[in-house]
Amino acid sequence: MTDGKGLFVTATGTDVGKTYVTALIVKKLREAGHSAGYYKAALSGVEKTAAGFRAGDAGYVADVAGIAEDEAENFVSYVYEKAVSPHLAAKLEGNPVKMAVVMAAYEQALARYDYVTMEGSGGIVCPLRYDNDAQLLLEDVITALGLGALVVADAGLGTINATVLTIDYMKRRGIPVKGIILNRYDAADAMMRDNKKMVEILTRVPVIACVKKGEAAIDIDAATLAVLYG
């Protein structure tokens, strides 16, 4: 086991801004002088060209965070063209996710960086593989790697229900939830302010940051972020 520390980032669903927020987290740590990297087990919905797969989420994080590394080789273990859950993408395209491969790649990331932010696929209930040979859910990977997690949620309408259900599920699975980040937050919106208050009350998990739409930095101290990694 290496000395690096990790933190998992999931979301209340797709298109919530999980990759966007993850990039801001890694950027914040790196700008503060920390050795911070990124890893994602499976990525679907990626365009494939004659030169190979485009960078997708991993390339975006690398660009925003200023990481000069071959993300296609080091940041993501499984890449699929179909914009569906990885378990279905693998059935359609082949190359199913293997836990041993994910664990080895994560350990390699820990060997390169002091702080590794691992991004999930979709929401927390995401089948990475589901066939006759193996059944692997996202939560199985989180548990196997012993990671705590952050939950990214949209600040708008419906977030109370989505956030409470997501965190209740994670707690029932024994996944430590370190905090909530509300994306596309507008402090002038009374509903969003109330959403923030209610998700904290109902989940008993703090909202550690609120990210405005299009924000180039996350409003949380790097030292506070670093403590979340374990």
Side-chain angles (χ1 to χ4, degrees):
M1 183 67 70
T2 61
D3 294 330
K5 299 177 180 180
L7 181 67
F8 196 88
V9 179
T10 188
T12 55
T14 57
D15 298 323
V16 171
K18 181 174 75 278
T19 300
Y20 168 69
V21 172
T22 298
L24 295 183
I25 289 171
V26 180
K27 177 185 177 184
K28 173 69 73 168
L29 291 172
R30 291 179 64 85
E31 287 181 343
H34 294 293
S35 169
Y38 168 88
Y39 175 66
K40 185 165 185 166
L43 174 61
S44 54
V46 179
E47 181 183 348
K48 190 173 185 179
T49 66
F53 282 108
R54 295 184 64 184
D57 291 357
Y60 175 81
V61 173
D63 288 344
V64 171
I67 303 175
E69 188 173 346
D70 184 353
E71 67 277 353
E73 179 180 347
N74 294 314
F75 286 174
V76 183
S77 294
Y78 294 91
V79 181
Y80 305 102
E81 289 186 79
K82 299 292 184 182
V84 295
S85 177
H87 83 288
L88 179 56
K91 289 181 180 180
L92 298 172
E93 302 175 29
N95 194 28
V97 174
K98 296 179 181 178
M99 178 71 91
V101 171
V102 172
M103 294 185 72
Y106 176 74
E107 286 296 320
Q108 290 172 6
L110 287 181
R112 294 194 303 273
Y113 300 102
D114 294 336
Y115 297 94
V116 175
T117 306
M118 182 173 180
E119 182 189 359
S121 304
I124 189 62
V125 186
C126 179
L128 294 179
R129 178 175 181 173
Y130 216 88
D131 55 35
N132 292 331
D133 295 321
Q135 294 82 47
L136 181 63
L137 302 179
L138 196 57
E139 66 193 62
D140 298 321
V141 172
I142 300 171
T143 301
L145 298 178
L147 295 174
L150 292 178
V151 174
V152 178
D154 188 277
L157 186 65
T159 200
I160 296 173
N161 182 70
T163 306
V164 171
L165 290 177
T166 295
I167 292 178
D168 181 68
Y169 181 93
M170 294 170 72
K171 287 182 176 180
R172 288 175 183 271
R173 296 303 192 272
I175 299 171
V177 182
K178 302 293 186 72
I180 301 164
I181 296 177
L182 293 180
N183 190 31
R184 306 172 188 135
Y185 185 81
D186 181 0
D189 189 315
M191 179 189 66
M192 292 189 184
R193 296 198 306 271
D194 185 72
N195 284 346
K196 177 179 181 292
K197 179 181 74 174
M198 291 307 299
V199 296
E200 289 187 316
I201 291 172
L202 296 174
T203 64
R204 297 183 182 179
V205 174
V207 172
I208 64 170
C210 294
V211 181
K212 298 177 184 178
K213 188 175 181 179
E215 196 76 272
I218 190 167
D219 187 18
I220 183 171
D221 185 71
T224 302
L225 267 180
V227 171
L228 302 177
Y229 290 71

